[in-house]
Amino acid sequence: MIVHVAEDFGIHLTAVDVVTGGVDRAAQNFLGRTETATYAIKWSAGGSAAGLVVPGALADRGLRAVAAPVRTRDGRLCSERDGRRLSVTPWVGDRNGLDGGLDEAQWREFGALLAATHALPVTPELAAVLPVAGHDRELAATRATEALLHASPPADAIAAETRNLWMDNTEHIAAAVDRVESLASAVTPSTVCHTDPHLGNVLAAPGRMWLIDWDDAALSTPEHDLMFVLGGAYGDEHIGDRERDWFFEGYGPVTVDPRRLAYWRASRGLVDVAFLAGEAYTPGDHGDTWRARAVRLLAANLGPAGLLARAMD
């Protein structure tokens, strides 16, 4: 990795550490150091180039709450190594937003950043790389997990708990699938969105915040992003009425379409429960510590405060 970064970006690292703990299985993350600076290095086969183009466009407009990608020696946003995108950004923040939430100024800046994202013009450069958000992947993941849980008996207690949770909520999950399919015609993706701006993708430092991990940026509708501050989403234990007020003071006036909000809540809720159940059910692929945590998160996602329940309101 040290050689690749030097050859492609002209940055001469003195040390590289592997960064663990993310849920993106298509990417490897590293912390790279020089004598004077620290960088986040991502080697990814997932997402799209939009994950670099969008924050680059926002940084060009003076938005300080994004980390602008470092250009390669020949001016590109990333290089290609072994069929994967290699990208470098400055290392930012010293605290994850899930660890204590954000303060008033940080919430306002968060709102202003998403407003600026939603106001980005869809230039030819963006149109060329931005996928159009939808629900095909979410429904496919739901079907695949359903098939997995029926394909073989549970291998251990964690798998048994996972299967029981899923089976107890079969009607709940089927209703969410129906909700997604019935609301799809009300959704016309035309707005640049992050699509995953939960507090786990926010880094904070005194007087600052940054939104990271733009790999799933897509054309969508504002509700796709706003649902993460409106309740039922990952990290919402740190989001109450006061925090929402601060966020929308930064974001500005908005009319949330309840049909689009329900659509994105249901589609995101489905892919979350499918991912969690699939990982918890399969011993050997993931450590038991993560599998046990995945079961707890699955129960929360299927509970009355989760996205699926809120999508049915």
Side-chain angles (χ1 to χ4, degrees):
M1 188 56 62
I2 288 177
V3 172
H4 293 344
V5 171
E7 290 178 348
D8 297 352
F9 295 88
I11 296 172
H12 299 282
L13 302 173
T14 57
V16 173
D17 298 320
V18 175
V19 177
T20 60
V23 298
D24 184 356
R25 307 301 183 196
Q28 291 177 274
N29 296 284
F30 306 89
L31 186 157
R33 296 182 179 87
T34 68
E35 296 292 341
T36 58
T38 308
Y39 296 93
I41 301 164
K42 191 165 192 174
W43 193 29
S44 178
S48 72
L52 298 168
V53 176
V54 173
L58 290 167
D60 288 345
R61 286 163 172 75
L63 275 296
R64 67 174 197 158
V66 293
V70 176
R71 297 272 179 172
T72 63
R73 297 175 72 174
D74 57 1
R76 293 174 293 141
L77 291 170
C78 64
S79 63
E80 185 174 309
R81 289 284 178 170
D82 297 332
R84 295 182 170 197
R85 290 186 308 279
L86 181 64
S87 61
V88 177
T89 57
W91 188 270
V92 296
D94 57 8
R95 180 176 62 82
N96 189 284
L98 290 174
D99 182 17
L102 305 178
D103 65 22
E104 181 176 351
Q106 290 163 341
W107 273 114
R108 287 199 178 103
E109 187 164 18
F110 191 10
L113 172 62
L114 284 185
T117 303
H118 298 163
L120 274 177
V122 183
T123 63
E125 182 185 22
L126 279 175
V129 297
L130 275 170
V132 177
H135 61 267
D136 291 346
R137 178 178 69 98
E138 288 74 5
L139 297 192
T142 305
R143 289 191 294 268
T145 298
E146 180 84 26
L148 172 67
L149 296 175
H150 283 93
S152 59
D156 60 13
I158 296 175
E161 184 180 358
T162 301
R163 191 175 187 217
N164 288 339
L165 272 170
W166 188 278
M167 298 310 173
D168 289 346
N169 286 277
T170 297
E171 292 184 3
H172 186 190
I173 293 166
V177 171
D178 290 344
R179 186 80 161 140
V180 167
E181 293 178 329
S182 68
L183 290 172
S185 61
V187 177
T188 304
S190 59
T191 301
V192 180
C193 293
H194 182 284
T195 81
D196 199 25
H198 57 72
L199 289 181
N201 281 332
V202 173
L203 298 177
R208 295 290 305 274
M209 61 75 57
W210 296 264
L211 181 59
I212 62 170
D213 199 358
W214 292 78
D215 280 2
D216 292 323
L219 284 178
S220 187
T221 73
E223 291 83 2
H224 201 159
D225 284 343
L226 297 178
M227 70 175 174
F228 289 93
V229 299
L230 292 174
Y234 189 41
D236 72 351
E237 66 269 27
H238 298 294
I239 308 173
D241 291 341
R242 180 183 64 172
E243 287 77 15
R244 275 186 281 274
D245 287 346
W246 291 338
F247 174 89
F248 283 107
E249 285 171 10
Y251 187 91
V254 63
T255 299
V256 174
D257 185 302
R259 297 172 301 165
R260 295 198 297 252
L261 180 61
Y263 173 84
W264 294 120
R265 279 175 161 168
S267 60
R268 175 57 186 248
L270 286 170
V271 79
D272 281 352
V273 299
F275 167 80
L276 291 166
E279 297 223 327
Y281 196 70
T282 313
D285 288 355
H286 311 286
D288 286 352
T289 299
W290 163 246
R291 292 178 62 227
R293 181 169 180 247
V295 172
R296 295 193 297 273
L297 292 171
L298 176 63
N301 276 266
L302 290 170
L307 281 175
L308 291 184
R310 289 177 180 265
M312 309 307 290
D313 290 346

Coordinates of all heavy atoms in Angstrom, one line a residue, residues 18-93:
V18 N -4.1 -0.9 9.4 CA -5.4 -1.3 8.9 C -6.5 -0.8 9.9 O -6.3 -0.8 11.1 CB -5.5 -2.9 8.9 CG1 -6.9 -3.3 8.5 CG2 -4.4 -3.4 7.9
V19 N -7.5 -0.3 9.3 CA -8.7 0.2 10.1 C -9.8 -0.8 10.0 O -10.2 -1.2 8.9 CB -9.2 1.6 9.5 CG1 -10.4 2.1 10.3 CG2 -8.1 2.6 9.6
T20 N -10.2 -1.3 11.2 CA -11.2 -2.3 11.2 C -12.5 -1.7 11.8 O -12.5 -0.6 12.4 CB -10.8 -3.5 12.1 OG1 -10.5 -3.1 13.4 CG2 -9.5 -4.2 11.5
G21 N -13.6 -2.5 11.7 CA -14.8 -2.1 12.4 C -15.9 -1.7 11.5 O -17.1 -1.5 11.9
G22 N -15.6 -1.4 10.2 CA -16.7 -1.0 9.3 C -17.5 -2.2 8.8 O -17.1 -3.3 8.9
V23 N -18.7 -1.9 8.3 CA -19.5 -3.0 7.8 C -19.5 -3.1 6.2 O -20.1 -4.0 5.7 CB -21.0 -2.8 8.2 CG1 -21.1 -2.8 9.7 CG2 -21.5 -1.5 7.6
D24 N -18.7 -2.3 5.6 CA -18.5 -2.3 4.1 C -17.6 -3.5 3.8 O -16.3 -3.3 3.9 CB -18.0 -1.0 3.6 CG -17.9 -1.0 2.1 OD1 -18.2 -2.0 1.4 OD2 -17.6 0.1 1.5
R25 N -18.1 -4.6 3.4 CA -17.3 -5.8 3.1 C -16.5 -5.7 1.8 O -15.7 -6.5 1.5 CB -18.1 -7.1 3.1 CG -19.0 -7.3 4.3 CD -18.2 -7.4 5.6 NE -19.0 -7.6 6.8 CZ -18.6 -7.4 8.0 NH1 -17.4 -7.0 8.2 NH2 -19.5 -7.7 9.0
A26 N -16.9 -4.7 1.0 CA -16.3 -4.5 -0.3 C -15.1 -3.6 -0.3 O -14.4 -3.3 -1.3 CB -17.3 -3.9 -1.3
A27 N -14.7 -3.1 0.9 CA -13.6 -2.1 1.0 C -12.6 -2.5 2.1 O -13.0 -3.1 3.1 CB -14.2 -0.7 1.3
Q28 N -11.4 -2.1 1.9 CA -10.4 -2.2 2.9 C -10.0 -0.8 3.2 O -9.7 0.1 2.3 CB -9.2 -3.0 2.5 CG -9.4 -4.5 2.3 CD -8.2 -5.2 1.8 OE1 -8.0 -5.3 0.6 NE2 -7.4 -5.7 2.7
N29 N -9.9 -0.4 4.5 CA -9.6 0.9 5.0 C -8.3 0.9 5.7 O -8.0 0.0 6.5 CB -10.7 1.5 5.8 CG -12.0 1.6 5.1 OD1 -12.2 2.5 4.3 ND2 -12.9 0.7 5.3
F30 N -7.5 2.0 5.5 CA -6.2 2.1 6.1 C -6.0 3.6 6.7 O -6.6 4.5 6.1 CB -5.1 1.8 5.1 CG -5.2 0.5 4.5 CD1 -5.9 0.4 3.3 CD2 -4.6 -0.6 5.0 CE1 -6.0 -0.8 2.6 CE2 -4.7 -1.9 4.4 CZ -5.4 -2.0 3.2
L31 N -5.2 3.7 7.7 CA -4.7 5.0 8.2 C -3.3 5.1 7.8 O -2.5 4.3 8.2 CB -4.9 5.1 9.7 CG -4.6 6.4 10.3 CD1 -5.4 6.5 11.7 CD2 -3.1 6.7 10.6
G32 N -3.0 6.1 7.0 CA -1.6 6.3 6.5 C -1.0 7.5 7.1 O -1.7 8.6 7.2
R33 N 0.3 7.5 7.4 CA 0.9 8.6 8.0 C 2.2 9.0 7.2 O 2.9 8.2 6.7 CB 1.4 8.3 9.4 CG 0.2 8.0 10.4 CD 0.8 7.8 11.8 NE -0.3 7.5 12.8 CZ -0.8 6.3 13.1 NH1 -0.3 5.3 12.4 NH2 -1.7 6.2 14.0
T34 N 2.4 10.3 7.1 CA 3.7 10.9 6.7 C 4.3 11.6 7.9 O 3.8 11.5 9.0 CB 3.5 11.9 5.5 OG1 2.9 13.1 6.0 CG2 2.7 11.3 4.4
E35 N 5.4 12.2 7.7 CA 6.0 13.0 8.8 C 5.2 14.1 9.3 O 5.3 14.5 10.4 CB 7.4 13.5 8.3 CG 8.4 12.4 8.0 CD 8.8 11.6 9.2 OE1 8.7 12.1 10.3 OE2 9.4 10.5 9.0
T36 N 4.2 14.6 8.4 CA 3.5 15.8 8.8 C 2.0 15.7 8.6 O 1.3 16.6 9.0 CB 3.9 17.0 7.9 OG1 3.7 16.6 6.5 CG2 5.4 17.3 8.1
A37 N 1.5 14.6 8.1 CA 0.0 14.5 7.8 C -0.5 13.1 8.0 O 0.3 12.1 8.0 CB -0.3 15.0 6.4
T38 N -1.8 13.0 8.1 CA -2.4 11.7 8.3 C -3.5 11.5 7.3 O -4.3 12.5 7.0 CB -3.0 11.5 9.7 OG1 -2.0 11.8 10.7 CG2 -3.5 10.1 10.0
Y39 N -3.7 10.4 6.7 CA -4.6 10.2 5.6 C -5.5 8.9 5.8 O -5.1 7.9 6.4 CB -3.9 10.0 4.2 CG -3.1 11.2 3.8 CD1 -1.8 11.3 4.2 CD2 -3.7 12.3 3.1 CE1 -1.0 12.4 3.8 CE2 -3.0 13.4 2.7 CZ -1.6 13.5 3.1 OH -0.9 14.6 2.7
A40 N -6.8 9.0 5.3 CA -7.6 7.9 5.2 C -7.5 7.3 3.8 O -7.7 8.0 2.8 CB -9.1 8.3 5.5
I41 N -7.2 6.0 3.7 CA -6.9 5.4 2.5 C -8.0 4.3 2.3 O -8.2 3.5 3.2 CB -5.5 4.8 2.4 CG1 -4.5 5.8 2.6 CG2 -5.3 4.0 1.1 CD1 -3.1 5.3 3.0
K42 N -8.6 4.3 1.2 CA -9.7 3.3 0.9 C -9.4 2.6 -0.4 O -9.2 3.2 -1.4 CB -11.1 4.0 0.9 CG -12.3 3.0 0.9 CD -13.5 3.8 1.2 CE -14.7 2.8 1.5 NZ -15.9 3.5 1.9
W43 N -9.5 1.2 -0.3 CA -9.3 0.4 -1.5 C -10.6 -0.4 -1.6 O -10.9 -1.3 -0.9 CB -8.1 -0.5 -1.2 CG -7.6 -1.2 -2.4 CD1 -7.7 -0.8 -3.7 CD2 -6.9 -2.5 -2.4 NE1 -7.1 -1.8 -4.6 CE2 -6.6 -2.8 -3.8 CE3 -6.6 -3.4 -1.4 CZ2 -6.0 -4.0 -4.2 CZ3 -5.9 -4.6 -1.8 CH2 -5.6 -4.8 -3.1
S44 N -11.4 0.0 -2.6 CA -12.8 -0.4 -2.6 C -13.2 -1.0 -4.0 O -12.8 -0.5 -5.0 CB -13.7 0.7 -2.3 OG -15.1 0.4 -2.4
A45 N -14.0 -2.1 -3.9 CA -14.6 -2.7 -5.1 C -16.1 -2.4 -5.1 O -16.8 -2.8 -6.0 CB -14.4 -4.2 -5.1
G46 N -16.7 -1.6 -4.1 CA -18.1 -1.4 -4.0 C -18.4 0.1 -4.3 O -17.5 0.9 -4.6
G47 N -19.7 0.4 -4.2 CA -20.1 1.7 -4.5 C -19.8 2.1 -5.9 O -19.7 1.3 -6.9
S48 N -19.6 3.4 -6.1 CA -19.3 4.0 -7.5 C -18.3 5.1 -7.3 O -18.1 5.6 -6.2 CB -20.6 4.4 -8.2 OG -21.1 5.6 -7.6
A49 N -17.9 5.6 -8.4 CA -17.0 6.8 -8.4 C -17.7 8.0 -7.9 O -17.0 9.0 -7.5 CB -16.4 7.1 -9.8
A50 N -19.0 8.0 -7.8 CA -19.8 9.1 -7.2 C -19.3 9.4 -5.8 O -19.4 10.5 -5.3 CB -21.3 8.8 -7.2
G51 N -18.8 8.4 -5.1 CA -18.4 8.6 -3.7 C -17.2 9.5 -3.6 O -16.9 9.9 -2.5
L52 N -16.5 9.8 -4.7 CA -15.4 10.7 -4.7 C -15.8 12.0 -5.5 O -15.5 13.1 -5.1 CB -14.2 10.1 -5.4 CG -13.6 8.9 -4.7 CD1 -12.6 8.2 -5.6 CD2 -13.0 9.3 -3.4
V53 N -16.6 11.9 -6.5 CA -17.0 13.0 -7.3 C -17.9 14.0 -6.5 O -17.8 15.2 -6.5 CB -17.8 12.6 -8.6 CG1 -18.3 13.8 -9.4 CG2 -16.8 11.8 -9.5
V54 N -18.9 13.4 -5.7 CA -19.8 14.3 -5.0 C -19.1 15.1 -3.9 O -19.2 16.3 -3.8 CB -21.0 13.5 -4.4 CG1 -21.8 14.3 -3.5 CG2 -21.8 12.9 -5.5
P55 N -18.3 14.4 -3.0 CA -17.6 15.3 -2.0 C -16.6 16.2 -2.6 O -16.4 17.3 -2.1 CB -16.9 14.3 -1.1 CG -16.9 13.0 -1.8 CD -18.1 13.0 -2.7
G56 N -16.0 15.8 -3.8 CA -15.1 16.7 -4.5 C -15.9 18.0 -4.9 O -15.4 19.1 -4.8
A57 N -17.1 17.8 -5.5 CA -17.9 18.9 -5.9 C -18.3 19.8 -4.8 O -18.3 21.0 -4.9 CB -19.1 18.4 -6.7
L58 N -18.6 19.2 -3.6 CA -19.0 20.0 -2.5 C -17.8 20.8 -1.9 O -18.0 22.0 -1.6 CB -19.6 19.1 -1.4 CG -21.0 18.5 -1.7 CD1 -21.3 17.3 -0.8 CD2 -22.1 19.5 -1.7
A59 N -16.7 20.2 -1.9 CA -15.5 20.9 -1.4 C -15.1 22.0 -2.3 O -14.7 23.1 -1.9 CB -14.3 19.9 -1.3
D60 N -15.3 21.8 -3.6 CA -15.1 22.9 -4.6 C -16.0 24.1 -4.3 O -15.7 25.2 -4.7 CB -15.3 22.4 -6.0 CG -14.1 21.5 -6.5 OD1 -13.1 21.4 -5.8 OD2 -14.3 20.8 -7.5
R61 N -17.1 23.9 -3.7 CA -18.1 24.9 -3.4 C -17.9 25.5 -2.0 O -18.7 26.3 -1.5 CB -19.5 24.4 -3.6 CG -19.9 24.3 -5.0 CD -21.2 23.4 -5.2 NE -21.7 23.4 -6.5 CZ -21.1 22.7 -7.5 NH1 -20.0 22.0 -7.3 NH2 -21.6 22.8 -8.8
G62 N -16.8 25.1 -1.4 CA -16.4 25.7 -0.1 C -17.0 25.0 1.1 O -16.9 25.6 2.2
L63 N -17.6 23.8 0.9 CA -18.2 23.1 2.1 C -17.1 22.5 2.9 O -16.4 21.6 2.4 CB -19.2 22.1 1.6 CG -20.7 22.5 1.3 CD1 -21.3 23.0 2.6 CD2 -20.8 23.6 0.3
R64 N -16.9 22.9 4.1 CA -15.8 22.4 4.9 C -16.2 21.1 5.6 O -15.3 20.4 6.2 CB -15.4 23.4 5.9 CG -16.4 23.7 7.0 CD -15.8 24.6 8.1 NE -16.6 24.5 9.3 CZ -16.2 24.8 10.5 NH1 -14.9 25.3 10.7 NH2 -16.9 24.8 11.6
A65 N -17.4 20.6 5.6 CA -17.8 19.4 6.3 C -17.7 18.2 5.5 O -18.2 17.1 5.8 CB -19.3 19.6 6.7
V66 N -16.9 18.2 4.4 CA -16.5 17.1 3.6 C -15.0 17.1 3.5 O -14.4 18.1 3.4 CB -17.2 17.0 2.2 CG1 -18.7 16.8 2.3 CG2 -16.8 18.3 1.4
A67 N -14.4 15.9 3.4 CA -13.0 15.8 3.2 C -12.8 15.6 1.7 O -13.2 14.6 1.1 CB -12.5 14.6 4.0
A68 N -12.1 16.6 1.1 CA -11.9 16.6 -0.4 C -10.9 15.5 -0.7 O -9.9 15.4 -0.1 CB -11.5 17.9 -0.9
P69 N -11.2 14.6 -1.7 CA -10.3 13.6 -2.1 C -9.0 14.2 -2.6 O -9.0 15.3 -3.2 CB -11.0 12.9 -3.2 CG -12.4 13.2 -3.1 CD -12.5 14.6 -2.5
V70 N -7.9 13.6 -2.3 CA -6.6 14.0 -2.8 C -6.5 13.5 -4.2 O -6.8 12.3 -4.5 CB -5.4 13.4 -1.9 CG1 -4.1 13.7 -2.6 CG2 -5.5 13.8 -0.5
R71 N -6.1 14.3 -5.1 CA -5.9 14.0 -6.5 C -4.7 13.1 -6.8 O -3.7 13.2 -6.1 CB -5.8 15.2 -7.4 CG -7.1 16.1 -7.3 CD -8.1 15.7 -8.4 NE -9.3 16.5 -8.3 CZ -10.3 16.5 -9.2 NH1 -10.1 15.6 -10.3 NH2 -11.3 17.2 -9.1
T72 N -4.8 12.2 -7.8 CA -3.7 11.4 -8.2 C -2.6 12.4 -8.8 O -2.9 13.5 -9.1 CB -4.1 10.3 -9.1 OG1 -4.6 10.9 -10.3 CG2 -5.1 9.4 -8.5
R73 N -1.5 11.8 -9.1 CA -0.4 12.6 -9.8 C -0.9 13.1 -11.2 O -0.4 14.1 -11.6 CB 0.8 11.8 -9.9 CG 1.4 11.4 -8.5 CD 2.6 10.5 -8.6 NE 3.8 11.2 -9.1 CZ 5.0 10.7 -9.1 NH1 5.2 9.5 -8.8 NH2 6.0 11.4 -9.6
D74 N -1.8 12.4 -11.8 CA -2.3 12.8 -13.1 C -3.7 13.5 -13.0 O -4.4 13.6 -14.0 CB -2.3 11.7 -14.1 CG -3.1 10.5 -13.7 OD1 -3.7 10.6 -12.6 OD2 -3.2 9.5 -14.4
G75 N -4.1 13.9 -11.8 CA -5.3 14.7 -11.6 C -6.6 14.0 -11.4 O -7.7 14.6 -11.4
R76 N -6.6 12.7 -11.3 CA -7.8 11.9 -11.1 C -8.2 11.9 -9.6 O -7.3 12.1 -8.7 CB -7.7 10.5 -11.7 CG -7.6 10.5 -13.2 CD -7.3 9.1 -13.7 NE -6.0 8.6 -13.2 CZ -5.7 7.4 -12.8 NH1 -6.7 6.5 -12.8 NH2 -4.5 7.1 -12.5
L77 N -9.4 11.5 -9.3 CA -9.9 11.4 -7.9 C -9.5 10.1 -7.3 O -9.5 9.9 -6.1 CB -11.4 11.5 -7.9 CG -12.0 12.9 -8.2 CD1 -13.5 12.8 -8.4 CD2 -11.6 13.9 -7.1
C78 N -9.1 9.1 -8.1 CA -8.7 7.8 -7.6 C -7.8 7.1 -8.6 O -7.8 7.5 -9.8 CB -9.9 6.9 -7.2 SG -10.9 6.4 -8.6
S79 N -7.1 6.1 -8.2 CA -6.4 5.3 -9.1 C -7.0 3.9 -9.1 O -7.9 3.6 -8.3 CB -4.9 5.2 -8.7 OG -4.7 4.6 -7.5
E80 N -6.6 3.0 -10.0 CA -7.1 1.6 -10.0 C -6.0 0.7 -9.7 O -4.9 0.7 -10.4 CB -7.8 1.3 -11.3 CG -8.4 -0.1 -11.4 CD -9.2 -0.3 -12.6 OE1 -10.0 0.5 -13.0 OE2 -8.9 -1.4 -13.2
R81 N -6.2 -0.2 -8.8 CA -5.2 -1.2 -8.4 C -5.9 -2.6 -8.3 O -6.9 -2.7 -7.5 CB -4.5 -0.9 -7.1 CG -3.6 0.3 -7.2 CD -2.3 -0.1 -7.9 NE -1.3 1.0 -8.0 CZ -0.1 0.8 -8.4 NH1 0.4 -0.4 -8.6 NH2 0.7 1.9 -8.5
D82 N -5.6 -3.5 -9.1 CA -6.2 -4.8 -9.1 C -7.7 -4.8 -9.2 O -8.4 -5.5 -8.5 CB -5.7 -5.6 -7.8 CG -4.2 -5.8 -7.7 OD1 -3.6 -5.9 -8.8 OD2 -3.7 -5.9 -6.6
G83 N -8.2 -3.9 -10.0 CA -9.6 -3.8 -10.3 C -10.4 -3.1 -9.2 O -11.6 -3.1 -9.3
R84 N -9.7 -2.5 -8.3 CA -10.4 -1.7 -7.2 C -9.9 -0.3 -7.3 O -8.9 0.1 -7.7 CB -10.0 -2.3 -5.8 CG -10.5 -3.7 -5.6 CD -10.1 -4.1 -4.2 NE -10.7 -5.4 -3.8 CZ -10.8 -5.8 -2.5 NH1 -10.3 -5.0 -1.6 NH2 -11.4 -6.9 -2.2
R85 N -10.8 0.6 -6.8 CA -10.5 2.0 -6.7 C -9.7 2.3 -5.4 O -10.0 1.9 -4.3 CB -11.8 2.9 -6.6 CG -12.6 2.9 -7.9 CD -13.7 3.9 -7.7 NE -14.5 3.6 -6.5 CZ -15.5 2.7 -6.5 NH1 -15.7 1.9 -7.5 NH2 -16.2 2.5 -5.4
L86 N -8.6 2.9 -5.6 CA -7.7 3.4 -4.5 C -7.8 4.9 -4.3 O -7.6 5.6 -5.3 CB -6.2 3.0 -4.7 CG -5.2 3.4 -3.6 CD1 -5.5 2.6 -2.4 CD2 -3.8 3.1 -4.1
S87 N -8.3 5.3 -3.2 CA -8.5 6.7 -2.9 C -7.9 7.2 -1.6 O -7.7 6.4 -0.7 CB -10.0 7.1 -2.9 OG -10.7 6.4 -1.9
V88 N -7.5 8.4 -1.6 CA -6.9 9.0 -0.4 C -7.6 10.3 0.0 O -7.8 11.2 -0.9 CB -5.4 9.3 -0.7 CG1 -4.7 9.9 0.5 CG2 -4.7 8.0 -1.1
T89 N -7.9 10.5 1.2 CA -8.5 11.7 1.7 C -7.7 12.1 3.0 O -7.2 11.2 3.7 CB -10.0 11.7 2.0 OG1 -10.2 10.6 2.9 CG2 -10.7 11.4 0.7
P90 N -7.7 13.4 3.4 CA -7.1 13.7 4.7 C -7.9 13.0 5.8 O -9.1 12.9 5.8 CB -7.3 15.3 4.8 CG -7.5 15.7 3.3 CD -8.2 14.5 2.6
W91 N -7.2 12.6 6.8 CA -7.8 12.0 8.0 C -8.5 13.1 8.8 O -7.8 14.1 9.2 CB -6.8 11.3 8.9 CG -7.4 10.5 10.0 CD1 -7.6 10.9 11.2 CD2 -7.8 9.1 9.9 NE1 -8.2 9.9 12.0 CE2 -8.3 8.8 11.2 CE3 -7.8 8.1 8.9 CZ2 -8.8 7.5 11.5 CZ3 -8.3 6.9 9.2 CH2 -8.8 6.6 10.5
V92 N -9.8 13.0 9.1 CA -10.5 14.1 9.8 C -11.2 13.5 11.0 O -11.5 12.3 11.1 CB -11.5 14.7 8.9 CG1 -10.9 15.4 7.7 CG2 -12.6 13.7 8.4
G93 N -11.5 14.4 12.0 CA -12.3 14.1 13.1 C -11.5 13.2 14.1 O -10.6 12.5 13.8

